[in-house]
Amino acid sequence: MAGNSLKQGRGPGGGPDGARGGVQGWIVWAWVIALVLSGAYTAWWFVLAREIEQRAADALEGRASWAELTVTGWPYRLTVAATSLSAPLPGGGQLSADRFAVTTSPFNLRLWVLDRAEGLRVRIGNGPARRVEARLLAGSVRAGVLRWCRAA
């Protein structure tokens, strides 16, 4: 019977000796490549997050105080959040927040966006601390101080 591939020495995959066909091989390789690239990106993101957390802590050390500093947002963003943040203002005064967070893209570390400022209070000079109330408080900063990120 000419139509039966098993009697002609072909395996179930259609190839000689049972080898898989070309389409199935490409699907396997596509999955392998996708897993390798996904793993590499994940490792790079966590190394970058650790570096940003360390540099933020170093930059704030001695200038501000906080209870906890974290970096979250995998896989599409990096959010640096500080709880119980207190920082001096230029010219005197104090800025404090229960939770303060800024966000950036892992592919554009020069643009940081104010993501959250809960319980924001400002004290100007020796005056009383005033609560900042706003329905929407947003801002962005373009920073050129992160020279180390150009190589990333």
Side-chain angles (χ1 to χ4, degrees):
M1 300 213 167
N4 191 344
S5 64
L6 289 176
K7 291 192 177 193
Q8 293 179 358
R10 298 200 178 267
D17 299 322
R20 295 283 181 204
V23 173
Q24 292 173 340
W26 282 107
I27 290 173
V28 170
W29 277 110
W31 274 104
V32 168
I33 290 169
L35 287 172
V36 167
L37 290 176
S38 175
Y41 173 77
T42 300
W44 173 76
W45 188 95
F46 281 102
V47 167
L48 185 62
R50 202 170 313 122
E51 180 74 17
I52 287 174
E53 184 175 14
Q54 184 62 47
R55 287 186 181 250
D58 291 345
L60 293 174
E61 190 69 40
R63 296 183 182 151
S65 62
W66 63 92
E68 182 181 19
L69 186 68
T70 60
V71 178
T72 60
W74 184 86
Y76 302 115
R77 63 182 179 192
L78 291 155
T79 300
V80 180
T83 58
S84 301
L85 178 68
S86 181
L89 293 174
Q94 191 79 16
L95 171 74
S96 59
D98 296 334
R99 187 174 191 310
F100 190 84
V102 291
T103 299
T104 189
S105 163
F107 307 108
N108 184 9
L109 296 176
R110 292 178 154 200
L111 178 63
W112 291 81
V113 177
L114 176 62
D115 190 25
R116 180 172 297 188
E118 295 175 359
L120 190 61
R121 295 172 301 281
V122 177
R123 183 177 50 81
I124 305 296
N126 291 328
R130 306 234 185 236
R131 190 168 183 86
V132 177
E133 303 266 346
R135 290 184 194 183
L136 175 65
L137 182 62
S140 65
V141 176
R142 288 200 179 271
V145 297
L146 300 173
R147 276 182 267 143
W148 58 272
C149 68
R150 291 182 187 156

